[in-house]
Amino acid sequence: MTNQQSAVLVAEHLSKSFQIDEIGISVIKDVSLQVKAGEFVVIMGKSGSGKSTLLSLLAGLDYPDSGRIMLNQDDLTVMDEEQLALKRQRDMGFVFQSFHLIPTLTVAENVAFPLQIAGKPDSERVEELLQAVDLNHRRDSMPHQLSGGEKQRTALARALVSKPSIVFADEPTGNLDQKNANQVMDLLINLQQSFGSALVVVTHDQAVADRADRVITIVDGHTV
Ligand SMILES: Nc1ncnc2c1ncn2[C@@H]1O[C@H](COP(=O)(O)OP(=O)(O)OP(=O)(O)O)[C@@H](O)[C@H]1O
Ligand SMILES: [Mg+2]
């Protein structure tokens, strides 16, 4: 099936519930979706509708109760933690609302980190990314010395440094003012397009959704 072949990510019949006070709350209900190579997909929906939960399942940060998730033909749901960590290292990039930079590493070291842990240091690649997010002049700064926009630009460079086939971003502009939000989103889309990664972004921003190839809306754990 050609459709399946060009898909980086195929999720089928995902369900997830959480136990709260011994009551099972069903958060993701039979969700199936595909993301094609190089595609930019936005996930929208009200607060509490299950967007972050879905993203962590797709990114192999949590296991679904049922269903399967194929990333480049490998089923994430049958992998153990160690295999998942390796898969994330090789195939995925992440951008979080609250940046998640390593506080004891400089900007350049944060960007280089995924290549370091993969045992594939590549200083040229790090330079390329630092240039791309316009942070060469802050390369030796520590995260606490950066503005919010600079922190998120560092995180973008780190997410894309290892040429992942897919990048996941959960409200990447949620902690930024409008000007920085626009700049970070422009950069993320430019980087994704120039490196050919697929991109899945959770956002509340209609202007971001307008730029996506496809918008998936979640209502009460279902995609509509
Ligand atoms: N680890 C957890 N334990 C228990 N309940 C959880 C857990 N994670 C999420 N939930 C619940 O699942 C529902 C969906 O949460 P989720 O974070 O996916 O929503 P969201 O769509 O990302 O919302 P927001 O736009 O506010 O970020 C919420 O009711 C939340 O309380
Ligand atoms: Mg969320």
Side-chain angles (χ1 to χ4, degrees), residues 18 20 27 46-53 171 204:
F18 293 108
I20 301 168
V27 174
K46 285 200 300 200
S47 179
S49 58
K51 304 178 298 296
S52 295
T53 305
E171 301 196 42
H204 290 284

Side-chain angles (χ1 to χ4, degrees), residues 8-217:
V8 208
L9 182 75
V10 180
E12 290 170 341
H13 304 295
L14 296 182
S15 300
K16 179 76 179 175
S17 52
F18 293 108
Q19 289 293 127
I20 301 168
D21 298 334
E22 290 169 28
I23 301 167
I25 309 267
S26 180
V27 174
I28 297 296
K29 301 165 186 168
D30 194 22
V31 166
S32 298
L33 59 87
Q34 292 195 9
V35 181
K36 296 195 187 73
E39 192 180 20
F40 171 21
V41 175
V42 153
I43 299 176
M44 295 189 97
K46 285 200 300 200
S47 179
S49 58
K51 304 178 298 296
S52 295
T53 305
L54 177 62
L55 206 69
S56 21
L57 296 178
L58 297 178
L61 294 164
D62 198 359
Y63 292 99
D65 300 332
S66 57
R68 61 173 201 160
I69 303 155
M70 307 296 293
L71 182 65
N72 292 329
Q73 269 85 51
D74 292 322
D75 188 351
L76 303 185
T77 60
V78 301
M79 293 184 182
D80 62 26
E81 297 285 352
E82 203 175 317
Q83 292 170 318
L84 277 178
L86 203 61
K87 187 74 179 157
R88 286 198 298 266
Q89 228 178 72
R90 287 196 182 138
D91 292 2
M92 310 182 208
F94 302 90
V95 184
F96 300 96
Q97 181 172 354
S98 48
F99 320 124
H100 288 218
L101 297 176
I102 300 171
T104 53
L105 298 182
T106 66
V107 166
E109 288 165 349
N110 265 283
V111 174
F113 189 72
L115 298 170
Q116 294 291 347
I117 54 169
K120 294 178 184 162
D122 182 345
S123 52
E124 268 177 45
R125 178 75 181 155
V126 173
E127 293 315 309
E128 185 187 351
L129 266 299
L130 285 173
Q131 294 284 357
V133 299
D134 193 20
L135 278 178
N136 221 351
H137 61 298
R138 301 307 305 269
R139 55 179 303 121
D140 296 322
S141 299
M142 303 306 287
H144 76 269
Q145 299 172 311
L146 303 176
S147 71
E150 288 166 342
K151 282 182 196 163
Q152 200 58 311
R153 275 149 53 204
T154 306
L156 294 188
R158 180 183 58 180
L160 283 137
V161 75
S162 49
K163 302 181 182 166
S165 50
I166 189 161
V167 175
F168 297 97
D170 194 351
E171 301 196 42
T173 60
N175 277 336
L176 304 176
D177 60 38
Q178 197 59 51
K179 180 166 163 277
N180 275 302
N182 293 342
Q183 194 192 17
V184 160
M185 215 47 232
D186 284 347
L187 260 175
L188 179 56
I189 295 170
N190 284 343
L191 288 172
Q192 172 251 338
Q193 285 173 352
S194 59
F195 299 140
S197 301
L199 174 63
V200 181
V201 178
V202 169
T203 183
H204 290 284
D205 188 344
Q206 186 57 46
V208 173
D210 289 343
R211 300 171 68 177
D213 296 317
R214 196 149 51 89
V215 179
I216 295 171
T217 306

